[in-house]
């Protein structure tokens, strides 16, 4: 009986121990188990797209099948066909100095209406980036042009750029005429854009925003040209670096994974003497008759590599050398993807040699000149050859000689000495041999350079040249800057000089930047002109024009519109010594403490004889005596 | 007696079993719920300007790189760099910031997103980001949108002293201000746990005044000691990193999202033999034991995910927007582009008059009226007084 009971207890113990055993196994293996779960969890999270999605996809596939069976309709039929298209192109122009000018243009055309009211808001974005679309509809933007530039465009050495931009950041916006508070919208728009492009555009406020009255007409469709809805601001100090390129690349439909955008490696792009990236949004005609409009988003990136003139390389270029990458495929979402190389100066191949050779040639009238281009179509598989990679090689053979002088060119500098007054000189050159044409000069000077407009002089060929239109809005201290717009007729083959004297203001000590001895920047002047062209420009709007020649709408055949930016100015304002408040406080407090303190002591101090405190035994004895009521010791 | 023996046996076995089960329950469940956070944020600040402070930007970028590598996305990182070193004209290799000499490791990378840069890095902006009191038009990427289940990592580097940290050579933040900012964050329930790392001279003075719960702090040097820089690069010409952050980066390079390294390992980074200064830490305000706090609780973004095998039914697809009817309906007139430089229009443009002026010829008309009325009343013979 006892044995039976012992046996029973043993069996019970065995059962319980077997139950407990898995837990001990767990405790032993818990480290491994947890890491396994954690790895699975982390794989789901950090890889996210890889591991977890596989499982999810399997689940979604099963529901998909069910829906199909029950509905009987395909998914594609419930949505209307997309009405947006994307084109990308790269134009390479070898410059006379041996350098290369590369211009990327990405265009998304979308037939939709952002500014519609009463209808459902646009919510389905395909190729057009959602962040910009929401910005357009929220702030009722008609046109938006923003550019970030590092370096200065040297017109005399490089000719005219396809799309000009001033150094730093420039933003100009046309608002829709239904907007009631343009300034409020402008302020919020700059803040939102500073978040999208990782730039400090929130420094744009009323002290550097102007409202040009005749420059910067809309580049897109529109009939309302009331300049109350235009705002222009420039930040000449803005730095452009990888953190601005990253969000810019993310706006592209293919990102930087396919197509021409794979060439955008920041280490190579910023190692150049000119780098400019811009976003232009405007409504344009959809077709010849221009009965309906579509929204166009153009992202442009212009870069000039000067490895030869700066002595770092030979006179030989390839895509791999410039961008550290070759092209492997066109963006699958693009309807056209082309590379153009300007071979106008090389008709017989005596100047440079281009490989791989291509039979495709295209002629385009751009900037008043007819240029010939070799075209490489990346949507065709044979462009990539056997190796599935496209590397353009350009080898210079001869010396190119001097460049034709550009017809319009402008410079600006500060004259004078000292920290009180100065003079701004703007020099505009008209290099056309026999034609005169008008230019519109726009100057926006910050309020702390107080212009004396009565000293404004415009001289051409050392004679006074009176402008036919002057618009001047004086500055208000700490509220708005100076705006000076003048329409000047430039005589042929001449130099026109515009001078104005100014006085430098002393800022309040909190208004100085943390590095005031660097100086303060004054934004570039803008010279807008209709320059007579050597070749008749076509006013027909055709869809298959290359992108770089169709940016500015052409209204007449004999001239083309060009905008030239001058250098920004760097002026030193009278700067106080910022350590002075500390020095003054130390000195004053020392003087007060030593001088007044000792004087006060002299007057009010009295001396008393002070007996030293008696030793402990005596104090104890005195205490006992006090209790007894007996007189105390001395 | 055997009955008693059996009962005692049974009780012993049952109690053993209960103890086993309880231990299992706490360890497994305890592990699962030990950290209590659901999302991670990082605020990384470099406060120095000028080219010779290259190392502070490299410090911040190396922590940014580690934090991004371990899983925190850009939308949860607020990166503040007071000056631009990568595209500085003095940088011989543009768009790069190196942490190791001989240009071994580019911590700037290809997809960096800086939220506050240049003059925007001020004490006011830093405190506003921490407390969440930003102007309404501030974009999301510039905000710290943490909640009461967020673990936040705050990293500061620059020049500092006993009780203060210098911002851009023109202003400073004191340790009391920082402690009050953290208390504001606690009152508004803006963090679950906060790890504060500072790499400046006398860095330990910055965490002396903290008084809010759930704060852990690390500093690169004690009060009275200077934090030293690590190694210069002769091609770039400046010191590349500070010693403490250099060894911190080397430590973090070994950490991967699934690693079990805990805070005690972090406290051992850069002992005095390597760092020359004595790194310090403060854990008295932290409720959990530092040995059970994983590095990835603050530097990584490991989420607790429940994977389910059930299918979920979605609602029916969204109705497509109403398509506008085709051509021929509304707009027949063609739209045109605007003239870019309409010279004639500009010359004859009337200047915008903000103040109201009476229309042209008003004064002349008024005088004519007065004269007419005068001569009407008094007769025409008074005209001779005029002419």
């Amino acid at each position: 009986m006892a044995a039976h009971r012992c046996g029973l207890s043993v069996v019970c113990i065995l059962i319980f121990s077997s139950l407990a055993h898995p837990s001990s196994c767990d405790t032993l293996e818990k480290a491994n188990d947890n890491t396994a779960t954690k790895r699975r969890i982390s794989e789901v999270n950090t890889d996210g797209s890889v591991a977890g999605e596989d499982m999810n996809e399997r689940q979604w596939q099963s529901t998909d099948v069910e829906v199909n069976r029950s509905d009987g309709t395909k998914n594609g039929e419930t949505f209307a066909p997309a009405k947006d298209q994307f084109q990308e192109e790269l134009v390479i122009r070898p410059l006379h100095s041996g350098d290369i000018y590369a211009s990327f243009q990405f265009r998304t055309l979308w037939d939709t209406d952002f500014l519609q009211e009463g209808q459902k808001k646009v919510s389905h974005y395909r190729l057009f980036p959602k962040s910009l679309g929401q910005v357009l509809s929220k702030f009722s933007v008609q046109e938006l042009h923003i550019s970030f530039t590092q370096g200065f465009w040297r017109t005399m050495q490089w000719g005219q750029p396809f799309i000009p931009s001033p150094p730093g950041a420039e933003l100009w916006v046309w608002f829709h005429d239904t907007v009631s508070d343009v300034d409020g919208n402008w302020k919020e728009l700059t803040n939102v854009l500073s978040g999208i492009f990782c730039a400090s555009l929130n420094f744009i406020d009323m002290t550097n925003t102007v409202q040009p009255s005749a420059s910067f007409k809309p580049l897109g469709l529109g009939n309302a040209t009331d300049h109350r809805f235009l705002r222009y601001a420039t930040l000449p100090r803005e730095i452009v670096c990888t953190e601005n390129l990253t969000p810019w690349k993310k706006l592209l439909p293919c990102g930087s994974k396919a197509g021409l955008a794979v060439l955008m490696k920041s280490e190579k792009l910023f190692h150049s003497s000119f780098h400019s990236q811009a976003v232009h949004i405007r409504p344009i005609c959809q077709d010849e008759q221009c009965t309906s409009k579509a929204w166009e988003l153009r992202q442009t990136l212009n870069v000039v590599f000067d490895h030869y003139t700066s002595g770092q390389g030979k006179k030989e270029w390839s895509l791999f050398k410039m961008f550290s990458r070759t092209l492997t495929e066109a963006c699958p979402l693009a309807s056209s993807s082309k590379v153009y190389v300007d071979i106008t100066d090389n008709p017989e191949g005596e100047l440079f040699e281009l490989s791989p050779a291509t039979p495709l040639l295209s002629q385009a009238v751009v900037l008043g000149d007819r240029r010939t281009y070799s075209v490489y179509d990346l949507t065709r598989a044979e462009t990539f050859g056997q190796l599935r990679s496209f590397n353009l090689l350009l080898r210079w053979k001869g010396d190119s000689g001097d460049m034709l002088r550009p017809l319009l060119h402008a410079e600006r500098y500060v004259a004078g000495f000292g920290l009180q007054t100065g003079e701004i000189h703007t020099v505009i050159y008209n290099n056309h041999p026999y034609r005169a044409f008008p230019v519109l000069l726009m100057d926006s000077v910050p309020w702390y350079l107080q212009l004396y407009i009565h000293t404004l002089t415009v001289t051409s060929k050392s004679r006074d040249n009176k402008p036919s239109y002057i618009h001047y809005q004086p500055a208000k201290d700490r509220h708005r800057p100076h705006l000076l717009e003048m329409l000047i007729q430039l005589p042929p083959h001449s130099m026109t000089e515009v001078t104005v004297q100014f006085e430098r203001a002393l800022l309040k000590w909190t208004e100085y930047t943390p590095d005031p001895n660097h100086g303060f920047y004054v934004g570039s002047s803008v010279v807008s002109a209709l320059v007579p062209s050597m070749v008749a420009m076509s006013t027909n709007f055709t869809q298959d024009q290359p992108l770089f020649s169709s940016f500015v709408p052409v209204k007449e055949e004999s001239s083309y519109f060009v905008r030239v930016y001058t250098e920004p100015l760097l002026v030193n304002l009278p700067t106080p010594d910022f350590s002075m408040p500390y020095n003054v406080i130390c000195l004053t407090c020392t003087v007060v403490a030593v001088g007044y303190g000792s004087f006060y002591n002299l007057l009010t101090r009295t001396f008393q004889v002070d007996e030293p405190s008696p030793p402990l035994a005596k104090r104890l004895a005195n205490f006992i005596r006090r209790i007894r009521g007996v007189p105390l010791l001395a | 007696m055997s009955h008693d023996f059996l009962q005692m046996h049974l009780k012993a076995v049952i109690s053993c079993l209960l103890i086993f089960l309880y231990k299992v329950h706490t360890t497994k469940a305890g592990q699962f719920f030990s950290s209590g956070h659901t999302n991670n944020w990082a605020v990384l600040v470099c406060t120095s300007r000028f080219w010779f402070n290259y190392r502070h930007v490299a410090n911040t970028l190396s922590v940014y790189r580690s934090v991004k590598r371990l899983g925190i996305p850009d939308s949860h990182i607020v990166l503040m760099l007071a000056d631009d070193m990568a595209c500085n004209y003095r940088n011989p290799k543009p768009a790069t910031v190196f942490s190791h000499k001989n240009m071994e490791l580019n911590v700037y990378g290809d997809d960096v997103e800086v939220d506050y840069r240049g003059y925007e890095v001020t004490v006011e902006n830093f405190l506003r980001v921490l407390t969440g009191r930003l102007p309404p038009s501030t974009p999301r990427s510039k905000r710290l949108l943490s909640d009461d289940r967020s673990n936040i990592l705050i990293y500061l580097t620059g020049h500092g002293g006993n009780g203060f940290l210098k911002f851009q050579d023109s202003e400073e933040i004191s340790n009391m201000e920082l402690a009050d900012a953290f208390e504001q964050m606690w009152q508004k329930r803006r963090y679950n746990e906060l790890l504060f790392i500072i790499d400046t001279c006398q860095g330990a003075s910055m965490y002396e005044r903290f008084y809010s719960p759930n704060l852990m702090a690390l500093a690169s040097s004690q009060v009275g000691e200077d934090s030293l820089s690590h190694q210069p690069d002769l091609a770039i010409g400046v010191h590349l990193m500070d010693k403490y952050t250099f060894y911190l980066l080397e430590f973090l390079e070994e950490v991967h999202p699934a690693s079990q390294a805990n805070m005690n390992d972090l406290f051992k980074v850069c002992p005095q033999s390597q760092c020359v200064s004595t790194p310090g830490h403060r854990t008295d305000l932290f409720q959990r034991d530092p040995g059970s706090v994983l590095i990835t609780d603050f530097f990584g973004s490991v989420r607790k995910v429940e994977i389910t095998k059930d299918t979920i039914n979605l609602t029916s697809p969204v109705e497509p927007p109403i398509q506008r009817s085709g051509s021929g309906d509304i707009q027949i007139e063609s739209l045109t582009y605007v003239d870019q430089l309409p010279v004639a229009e500009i010359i004859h443009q009337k200047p915008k008059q903000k103040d109201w002026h009476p229309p042209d010829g008003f004064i002349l008309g008024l005088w004519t009226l007065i004269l007419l009325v005068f001569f009407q009343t008094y007769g025409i013979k008074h005209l001779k007084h005029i002419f």
Side-chain angles (χ1 to χ4, degrees):
Chain A
M1 183 74 165
H4 181 65
R5 286 215 177 120
C6 271
L8 196 63
S9 65
V10 164
V11 165
C12 289
I13 290 168
L14 276 170
I15 292 167
F16 283 135
S17 64
S18 66
L19 279 175
H21 190 63
S23 60
S24 67
C25 275
D26 276 342
T27 53
L28 279 175
E29 291 168 3
K30 114 181 114 112
N32 297 340
D33 203 20
N34 272 348
T35 52
T37 49
K38 275 218 158 66
R39 210 172 290 127
R40 196 158 35 101
I41 289 165
S42 60
E43 266 174 1
V44 169
N45 197 54
T46 54
D47 284 350
S49 41
V50 179
E53 257 188 17
D54 283 334
M55 264 203 266
N56 286 342
E57 261 174 26
R58 271 180 261 132
Q59 287 179 356
W60 293 140
Q61 269 168 19
S62 56
T63 52
D64 220 32
V65 165
E66 281 170 25
V67 164
N68 271 340
R69 273 196 228 122
S70 58
D71 262 342
T73 57
K74 282 212 298 265
N75 273 341
E77 280 171 15
T78 53
F79 292 105
K83 294 158 105 177
D84 48 3
Q85 55 157 315
F86 174 65
Q87 296 160 304
E88 54 178 18
E89 73 178 30
L90 164 64
V91 183
I92 297 182
R93 200 210 291 179
L95 300 168
H96 280 257
S97 50
D99 299 323
I100 292 279
Y101 167 38
S103 169
F104 292 84
Q105 287 215 24
F106 302 93
R107 175 168 91 156
T108 308
L109 259 180
W110 195 18
D111 181 17
T112 183
D113 196 0
F114 283 116
L115 306 172
Q116 64 196 2
E117 283 161 25
Q119 277 186 339
K120 222 167 148 174
K121 276 212 157 90
V122 177
S123 57
H124 180 64
Y125 291 87
R126 201 173 76 101
L127 296 175
F128 202 93
K130 183 172 177 182
S131 49
L132 288 181
Q134 288 181 327
V135 162
L136 292 180
S137 46
K138 179 161 186 214
F139 298 112
S140 306
V141 169
Q142 175 93 355
E143 247 185 64
L144 183 122
H145 300 268
I146 184 167
S147 74
F148 297 97
T149 311
Q150 176 209 57
F152 179 67
W153 181 267
R154 289 167 231 263
T155 316
M156 292 304 274
Q157 282 126 356
W158 301 338
Q160 294 281 4
F162 293 124
I163 297 181
S165 52
E170 186 205 40
L171 171 67
W172 57 281
V173 175
W174 273 94
F175 288 95
H176 205 244
D177 47 11
T178 54
V179 172
S180 54
D181 179 18
V182 181
D183 287 330
N185 273 21
W186 170 252
K187 185 79 194 127
E188 284 199 37
L189 178 68
T190 51
N191 277 321
V192 166
L193 288 175
S194 86
I196 293 177
F197 291 106
C198 285
S200 32
L201 296 174
N202 45 326
F203 284 127
I204 294 179
D205 55 7
M206 284 300 119
T207 58
N208 48 20
T209 309
V210 288
Q211 213 179 300
S213 65
S215 316
F216 292 103
K217 295 253 182 255
L219 282 168
L221 291 174
N223 42 10
T225 53
D226 187 353
H227 282 258
R228 276 185 298 135
F229 297 101
L230 168 65
R231 291 288 183 273
Y232 174 85
T234 170
L235 290 172
R237 186 90 201 256
E238 194 66 20
I239 308 152
V240 188
C241 209
T242 312
E243 65 249 24
N244 305 112
L245 188 64
T246 310
W248 189 93
K249 282 196 284 191
K250 285 189 184 160
L251 296 174
L252 296 169
C254 282
S256 52
K257 310 260 187 315
L260 290 170
V262 299
L263 295 176
M264 294 181 185
K265 294 282 170 215
S266 54
E267 284 187 25
K268 290 286 183 179
L269 281 181
F270 289 102
H271 199 48
S272 56
S273 67
F274 179 82
H275 170 101
S276 166
Q277 62 200 51
V279 172
H280 301 277
I281 305 177
R282 56 182 182 156
I284 62 166
C285 293
Q286 259 193 322
D287 48 14
E288 283 270 349
Q289 291 82 24
C290 213
T291 44
S292 63
K293 60 179 179 181
W295 282 89
E296 179 197 68
L297 162 71
R298 255 187 217 240
Q299 287 180 255
T300 63
L301 194 135
N302 293 336
V303 61
V304 174
F305 292 104
D306 64 342
H307 293 306
Y308 175 68
T309 44
S310 59
Q312 284 167 25
K314 294 195 294 229
K315 232 176 169 182
E316 186 184 274
W317 298 104
S318 67
L319 277 186
F320 186 75
K321 208 170 154 194
M322 285 196 281
F323 300 106
S324 73
R325 258 214 65 148
T326 58
L327 289 167
T328 46
E329 57 165 346
C331 174
L333 298 167
S335 59
S336 101
S337 177
K338 293 197 168 87
V339 177
Y340 293 87
V341 183
D342 190 341
I343 53 169
T344 324
D345 301 322
N346 192 29
E348 265 97 63
E350 75 275 0
L351 196 59
F352 55 81
E353 183 195 308
L354 191 63
S355 67
T358 173
L360 291 172
L361 286 178
S362 143
Q363 283 212 340
V365 180
V366 60
L367 296 171
D369 197 11
R370 186 176 300 277
R371 316 283 297 178
T372 319
Y373 294 90
S374 290
V375 184
Y376 298 89
D377 193 349
L378 297 176
T379 46
R380 292 209 217 147
E382 56 262 18
T383 323
F384 296 102
Q386 291 280 350
L387 300 162
R388 302 261 186 84
S389 110
F390 172 66
N391 186 16
L392 199 62
L393 194 68
L394 195 86
R395 207 174 288 116
W396 289 80
K397 285 201 274 201
D399 215 0
S400 48
D402 281 330
M403 196 184 68
L404 264 173
R405 285 168 73 98
L407 291 176
L408 180 66
H409 172 54
E411 286 173 352
R412 193 160 82 144
Y413 55 90
V414 171
F417 59 91
L419 284 176
Q420 186 160 12
T421 53
E423 214 171 273
I424 298 181
H425 290 244
T426 312
V427 184
I428 312 174
Y429 296 90
N430 175 2
N431 292 322
H432 202 282
Y434 51 85
R435 290 279 299 271
F437 52 87
V439 299
L440 188 61
L441 170 68
M442 188 188 96
D443 248 320
S444 161
V445 179
W447 64 267
Y448 39 81
L449 295 189
Q450 293 152 345
L451 298 179
Y452 293 134
I453 287 294
H454 73 278
T455 57
L456 174 70
T457 60
V458 183
T459 47
S460 308
K461 288 182 172 170
S462 46
R463 267 184 310 158
D464 214 14
N465 182 354
K466 190 163 165 347
S468 29
Y469 169 80
I470 301 185
H471 175 249
Y472 174 63
Q473 194 188 47
K476 215 167 166 186
D477 272 5
R478 300 176 181 89
H479 278 278
R480 52 161 204 252
H482 298 275
L483 174 67
L484 178 62
E485 272 183 282
M486 294 191 292
L487 186 69
I488 308 169
Q489 185 81 4
L490 297 182
H493 206 73
S494 68
M495 176 188 98
T496 308
E497 192 165 335
V498 178
T499 59
V500 63
Q501 287 179 5
F502 66 88
E503 189 181 276
R504 300 169 212 234
L506 186 67
L507 301 177
K508 294 184 185 165
W509 75 290
T510 48
E511 289 171 347
Y512 286 97
T513 54
D515 52 351
N517 290 303
H518 181 91
F520 288 77
Y521 282 89
V522 177
S524 318
S525 302
V526 188
V527 177
S528 324
L530 276 173
V531 179
S533 78
M534 295 184 269
V535 170
M537 312 270 294
S538 78
T539 52
N540 282 336
F541 171 77
T542 43
Q543 276 282 14
D544 49 356
Q545 256 184 358
L547 291 178
F548 59 90
S549 59
S550 61
F551 184 57
V552 181
V554 177
K555 292 283 252 194
E556 49 168 350
E557 288 181 347
S558 57
S559 55
Y560 62 97
F561 179 72
V562 75
R563 203 172 265 146
V564 176
Y565 290 93
T566 63
E567 297 94 332
L569 301 174
L570 185 60
V571 287
N572 269 324
L573 291 183
T575 311
D577 182 358
F578 290 99
S579 61
M580 275 318 282
Y582 172 75
N583 296 344
V584 166
I585 291 171
C586 282
L587 191 66
T588 321
C589 291
T590 312
V591 165
V592 166
V594 171
Y596 175 72
S598 40
F599 195 63
Y600 178 78
N601 274 337
L602 264 175
L603 291 177
T604 55
R605 197 161 48 186
T606 55
F607 291 95
Q608 289 173 330
V609 177
D610 190 27
E611 300 199 356
S613 64
L616 181 64
K618 224 179 187 179
R619 264 191 283 160
L620 207 60
N622 274 341
F623 179 66
I624 296 168
R625 280 176 175 239
R626 215 180 294 138
I627 294 170
R628 283 170 58 193
V630 164
L632 303 169
L633 289 173
Chain B
M1 200 188 104
S2 59
H3 180 72
D4 291 328
F5 171 74
L6 184 65
Q7 268 198 342
M8 224 170 56
H9 225 77
L10 262 169
K11 277 189 197 143
V13 166
I14 288 168
S15 58
C16 276
L17 177 68
L18 282 171
I19 289 167
F20 263 128
L21 284 175
Y22 177 69
K23 215 170 152 192
V24 160
H25 177 79
T26 43
T27 43
K28 257 214 155 100
Q31 269 290 333
F32 194 76
F33 290 113
S34 63
S35 59
H37 70 281
T38 57
N39 54 73
N40 283 83
W41 286 82
V43 179
L44 311 172
V45 184
C46 160
T47 60
S48 316
R49 175 164 275 277
F50 305 122
W51 173 246
F52 51 83
N53 289 322
Y54 183 101
R55 58 189 189 278
H56 296 140
V57 172
N59 287 351
T60 318
L61 285 171
S62 60
V63 178
Y64 173 78
R65 173 206 150 77
S66 309
V67 146
K68 236 173 119 155
R69 199 175 52 83
L70 292 171
I72 302 188
D74 269 314
S75 53
H76 281 225
I77 304 177
V78 178
L79 179 61
M80 303 170 82
L81 296 180
D83 202 0
D84 170 59
M85 300 300 166
C87 289
N88 199 315
Y89 291 112
R90 286 173 154 136
N91 194 345
K93 290 208 81 183
T96 57
V97 174
F98 293 108
S99 60
H100 289 62
K101 70 171 181 208
N102 299 327
M103 303 184 187
E104 280 166 21
L105 179 61
N106 174 18
V107 287
Y108 196 57
D110 221 5
D111 61 344
V112 61
E113 284 185 20
V114 181
D115 302 305
Y116 287 85
R117 59 185 202 158
Y119 299 131
E120 291 180 290
V121 179
T122 57
V123 173
E124 186 191 339
N125 280 351
F126 175 58
L127 292 177
R128 280 185 186 279
V129 164
L130 286 184
T131 54
R133 294 172 158 194
L134 289 158
S137 52
T138 317
R140 278 181 78 99
S141 59
K142 287 185 165 174
R143 287 182 189 257
L144 180 66
L145 298 165
S146 55
D147 52 27
D148 62 323
R149 285 263 155 264
S150 310
N151 272 13
I152 308 183
L153 165 72
I154 296 185
Y155 178 80
L156 292 175
T157 182
H159 289 290
N162 190 354
F164 68 92
L165 170 64
K166 201 165 65 154
F167 265 70
Q168 293 212 47
D169 211 20
S170 66
E171 50 181 1
E172 51 200 39
I173 184 172
S174 65
N175 49 6
M176 210 54 228
E177 277 178 3
L178 199 56
D180 287 339
F182 287 154
E183 177 62 17
Q184 267 201 53
M185 287 174 79
W186 176 251
Q187 298 280 345
K188 289 162 89 162
R189 297 289 179 266
R190 279 171 70 77
Y191 69 89
N192 175 39
E193 281 166 353
L194 202 141
L195 176 64
F196 175 78
I197 306 181
I198 184 161
D199 187 352
T200 63
C201 302
Q202 306 192 48
S205 63
M206 289 303 285
Y207 62 63
E208 269 172 5
R209 303 291 196 107
F210 289 172
Y211 55 94
S212 317
N214 283 353
L215 290 180
M216 198 188 312
L218 277 109
S220 61
S221 55
Q222 301 292 331
V223 175
E225 284 180 351
D226 284 340
S227 288
L228 302 175
S229 56
H230 187 59
Q231 40 175 227
D233 182 296
L234 295 174
I236 299 178
V238 284
H239 284 261
L240 293 179
M241 286 270 273
D242 277 335
K243 283 194 156 72
Y244 181 73
T245 314
F246 182 80
Y247 290 108
L248 180 69
L249 173 67
E250 288 204 344
F251 170 74
L252 287 173
E253 289 285 295
E254 323 254 307
V255 172
H256 54 88
S259 76
Q260 296 287 305
N262 57 34
M263 282 295 156
N264 284 332
D265 304 326
L266 194 62
F267 296 154
K268 292 198 206 100
V269 162
C270 208
Q272 197 174 10
S273 53
Q274 281 177 326
C275 253
V276 183
S277 59
T278 323
H281 54 88
R282 182 177 172 179
T283 52
D284 57 318
L285 294 167
F286 205 73
Q287 278 169 8
R288 287 193 289 150
D289 172 42
S292 68
V293 179
L294 298 173
I295 298 282
T296 49
D297 276 354
F298 288 102
F299 285 88
S301 177
V302 179
R303 315 274 189 97
K304 313 282 189 285
V305 175
E306 238 184 68
I307 299 171
T308 171
K309 293 217 163 58
D310 309 324
T311 52
I312 302 167
N313 283 325
L314 292 178
T315 54
S316 55
V318 179
E319 292 292 318
I322 308 159
Q323 295 298 317
R324 271 178 307 174
S325 48
S327 58
D329 241 74
I330 312 155
Q331 277 174 327
I332 317 166
E333 10 114 13
S334 62
L335 308 153
T336 51
Y337 288 107
V338 178
D339 230 347
Q340 285 302 305
L341 195 68
V343 176
E345 205 186 291
I346 290 172
I347 292 174
H348 298 120
Q349 201 166 326
K350 261 215 168 106
K352 277 187 301 286
Q353 287 172 335
K354 289 277 167 64
D355 316 314
W356 182 83
H357 295 286
D360 296 340
F362 178 72
I363 306 291
L364 195 67
L366 191 66
W367 274 109
T368 319
L369 191 69
I370 290 168
L371 280 171
L372 269 172
V373 166
F374 173 72
F375 289 121
Q376 192 113 23
T377 25
Y378 295 108
I380 205 110
K381 60 181 195 278
H382 289 270
L383 254 176
K384 68 172 194 279
H385 294 287
I386 311 291
F387 295 108

